[in-house]
Amino acid sequence: MLVTYAIAAVLISTPASNADEAIEKKLDVCLYPSNIAKAVMIRRQNGGSLPELMAKIPDLGMKPAIEDLAKKLAIAAYGVPVYSDEKLQQAAITEFESQTYLNCAKGIN
């Protein structure tokens, strides 16, 4: 509800072209988690180990909230099957990346 009011305030106080730009910039925030999701799923589809990945995440020097997100994405990615067919692997990677972006975008709007 608060998010709705905040977005409404931005739309009311900003001319139409700037409102579109403001929403686009907020959606750009979703690129970072979707890129993490893509990297995690690539590792998953290439047969990488979840325990090894979880051990490496803290070494990446991310902020605690981003590190927590990366761990959650890793756990979610390892719930997706590994495919031997390259086209299916790419589809799984793209789907996971897109779903992460979509979930983020829904949380913003």
Side-chain angles (χ1 to χ4, degrees):
M1 186 79 135
L2 184 58
V3 173
T4 305
Y5 288 128
I7 290 174
V10 168
L11 293 176
I12 291 169
S13 65
T14 311
S17 62
N18 288 342
D20 291 341
E21 197 174 295
I23 291 171
E24 185 176 317
K25 284 183 181 179
K26 287 185 178 189
L27 290 178
D28 283 349
V29 170
C30 297
L31 289 175
Y32 192 67
S34 66
N35 286 335
I36 293 172
K38 181 179 181 178
V40 168
M41 185 55 79
I42 288 171
R43 185 175 180 96
R44 168 68 173 145
Q45 291 301 315
N46 288 330
S49 162
L50 178 58
E52 287 176 12
L53 177 59
M54 295 297 274
K56 287 182 180 182
I57 289 174
D59 297 336
L60 298 175
M62 295 183 279
K63 292 183 179 180
I66 301 298
E67 182 178 317
D68 185 53
L69 174 64
K71 288 178 180 178
K72 287 178 181 177
L73 287 169
I75 291 167
Y78 279 76
V80 174
V82 173
Y83 298 102
S84 57
D85 181 79
E86 193 173 320
K87 287 182 182 180
L88 291 175
Q89 287 177 343
Q90 191 56 50
I93 292 164
T94 301
E95 179 65 18
F96 194 69
E97 174 186 21
S98 295
Q99 281 300 313
T100 301
Y101 188 93
L102 179 62
N103 290 337
C104 175
K106 283 181 178 179
I108 289 174
N109 288 324

